[in-house]
Amino acid sequence: MAPVHADDHPQAPRSVTQSSATSRAVLSGIEVRRKGRVEPLLHAHPTLSSSPARWSGVVLEEYSVPACVIPRHEHVENFLHVVLQGSVAYEVLTRGKTLHFSANPGTTFILPRGTVDELRWNGPTHRIAAAIHPTLLVNALDETAHERDIELTEHWNSTDPNIMPLLLAMRADLDAGSPAGRLYGESLANALAVYLLKRYAVRQYSPVIYRGGLPRYRLKRVLDHIGDNLIDDLSLSQLAAIAGMSTHYFAEMFRQSTGCAPHRYVLLRRIERAKGRLRDPKCSVIEAALHAGFQNPSHFARMFRKFVGMSPSVFQSRTRSTRPPAPISSSR
């Protein structure tokens, strides 16, 4: 089948109600159904969780667990699991069968929601798991697909070198305290959804060629919102809803229109606003960071140095030293 061009099939924008559904798909944790009750997959607390970050469409958790039995359960969301450390034997009881495997770093589970299983781990493991809401996958499609749900294929003992780097990048962002806010984490989640859609969807979808960028009125609407709300914790799903399109479609078209990804554009806008504030001799570095939307001072200093070539304090000092002296008023 020939590739579909995004602008060959003009579509009416998704309604705000449809688009905002993604922004409401914030998962509190990785949950399963047992004996009619929805409860956490593991009773052990995760060592790291994306729940406080409130990413739309995905929740990520990290665990270090000993040998254990995970009682029979049904996955209420699509499930992704990667072993980071540990080489152990494990058993999977599913569909009336007992499957025997050996896990090593990189062993990956990809399970569609509704999968019922019980697991028996014969040794300790360190792993990352993710629950993926259906809207995250649907919003990885282009605007012409008209799908409401995506079914993934089931894999119990796979190795995929493309999945682990994305999960580790998401974990690194959480470990750093999500200094860029939701926008960066959701951008990584969007990339993960696009990959899962291409590689593991039951139904194959034709690739889409994006061209032309966002229509000017939609781009202006998004840029105005960014400018008016720069100090807020902006999210990718929120910006896509304002543009009236799916998350992935918006991200690709925004990149074509502006030359950079949404999270990078917002970062550059924040740097420029901070530079303007730092030119005010009465404004401190911390005040400039907060006014520009940086909640983490160390992240602000690191990003400022990266894009400006000097620290905020040095920039402020040099700006003051090059400012022309105030005119002297003449007395009669």
Side-chain angles (χ1 to χ4, degrees), residues 328-332:
I328 301 175
S329 60
S330 58
S331 58
R332 292 185 180 179

Side-chain angles (χ1 to χ4, degrees), residues 178-253:
S178 296
R182 288 184 293 166
L183 194 53
Y184 181 61
E186 289 188 357
S187 297
L188 292 171
N190 179 59
L192 175 63
V194 171
Y195 181 73
L196 291 174
L197 183 69
K198 292 178 179 177
R199 177 69 177 81
Y200 295 103
V202 170
R203 177 183 172 185
Q204 296 297 308
Y205 296 92
S206 301
V208 176
I209 299 175
Y210 297 96
R211 65 188 184 194
L214 288 167
R216 255 184 290 185
Y217 76 96
R218 293 200 198 189
L219 179 62
K220 183 180 185 303
R221 188 190 306 159
V222 173
L223 297 186
D224 287 347
H225 179 83
I226 291 173
D228 292 341
N229 299 275
L230 204 55
I231 65 172
D232 296 337
D233 185 10
L234 298 168
S235 73
L236 187 64
S237 54
Q238 177 189 46
L239 297 182
I242 290 168
M245 56 184 58
S246 71
T247 308
H248 174 60
Y249 188 66
F250 164 75
E252 292 294 328
M253 300 294 272

Side-chain angles (χ1 to χ4, degrees), residues 259-299:
C260 57
H263 70 272
R264 186 179 179 88
Y265 176 87
V266 170
L267 175 61
L268 293 174
R269 284 293 309 274
R270 286 175 172 162
I271 292 291
E272 287 303 311
R273 178 172 291 186
K275 286 168 67 177
R277 294 293 294 170
L278 288 171
R279 293 186 177 98
D280 181 354
K282 297 180 181 179
C283 184
S284 70
V285 170
I286 292 180
E287 288 172 338
L290 292 174
H291 188 267
F294 289 96
Q295 302 302 316
N296 186 314
S298 62
H299 177 253

Side-chain angles (χ1 to χ4, degrees), residues 16-93:
V16 174
T17 301
Q18 286 177 299
S19 299
S20 61
T22 302
S23 63
R24 293 195 300 269
V26 177
L27 304 175
S28 60
I30 298 177
E31 296 179 324
V32 296
R33 185 176 288 106
R34 288 191 181 97
K35 299 180 180 178
R37 299 190 306 270
V38 175
E39 60 186 40
L41 170 66
L42 297 175
H43 293 298
H45 291 291
T47 56
L48 191 67
S49 172
S50 69
S51 181
R54 296 183 57 78
W55 291 341
S56 179
V58 66
V59 64
L60 189 81
E61 295 179 349
E62 183 177 7
Y63 293 93
S64 290
V65 294
C68 64
V69 174
I70 303 178
R72 181 180 174 87
H73 56 273
E74 177 187 350
H75 290 279
V76 296
E77 307 290 355
N78 298 293
F79 182 71
L80 183 61
H81 171 283
V82 177
V83 174
L84 299 181
Q85 293 178 336
S87 296
V88 300
Y90 67 98
E91 296 178 354
V92 178
L93 284 71

Side-chain angles (χ1 to χ4, degrees), residues 109 116 281 287:
F109 298 171
V116 178
E287 288 172 338

